[in-house]
Amino acid sequence: QVQLVESGGGLVQAGGSLRLSCAASGRIFSINDMGWYRQAPGKQRELVATITKGGYTNDADSVKGRFTISRDNAKNTVYLQMNSLKPEDTGAYYCNAFVVLTSRSSVEVWGQGTLVTVSS
């Protein structure tokens, strides 16, 4: 079984910064794409940023120039550095990963979420 554990959420004032971490553990052969999604109260979950195993990134327009996704393949960990935070960035942030279990088996895994609250 594979688990993703997020950390780093919290309360911050507008203009501040936070760094989220997500570590994968369990029976892992390798991890392909990893990413961060968020869900604001009363809204659907949306993509924030993704990163391939080779380091190619894709960011939502709303976070371009403010958020940076990165990963450490040796540690099976993905990070999200969030700068210049805005109140509209408030929400639950979820880690996502496509984990290869064997040469014939892979699974999509979600973390439990970490709450980010940005005050104005």
Side-chain angles (χ1 to χ4, degrees):
Q1 187 175 0
V2 178
Q3 288 185 324
L4 300 179
V5 178
E6 300 113 330
S7 61
L11 173 64
V12 64
Q13 288 188 332
S17 298
L18 284 174
R19 189 190 194 212
L20 305 183
S21 299
C22 171
S25 63
R27 188 170 63 91
I28 298 170
F29 178 74
S30 67
I31 303 178
N32 291 330
D33 290 4
M34 303 185 81
W36 290 95
Y37 292 73
R38 68 186 180 188
Q39 187 167 18
K43 294 188 177 181
Q44 289 188 329
R45 190 174 297 187
E46 63 178 5
L47 180 146
V48 176
T50 60
I51 184 168
T52 68
K53 188 176 181 179
Y56 291 99
T57 64
N58 177 46
D59 302 331
D61 288 342
S62 59
V63 306
K64 284 184 187 296
R66 300 188 298 122
F67 292 9
T68 302
I69 188 171
S70 61
R71 64 189 284 174
D72 184 332
N73 291 331
K75 295 182 179 180
N76 291 329
T77 299
V78 62
Y79 306 96
L80 185 67
Q81 178 66 44
M82 304 186 293
N83 299 327
S84 301
L85 282 160
K86 304 175 181 180
E88 52 263 44
D89 294 319
T90 294
Y93 282 69
Y94 297 91
C95 177
N96 172 270
F98 287 86
V99 179
V100 179
L101 304 176
T102 69
S103 61
R104 298 183 177 185
S105 174
S106 62
V107 63
E108 182 179 16
V109 186
W110 288 91
Q112 81 287 352
T114 185
L115 188 61
V116 172
T117 303
V118 184
S119 63
S120 57

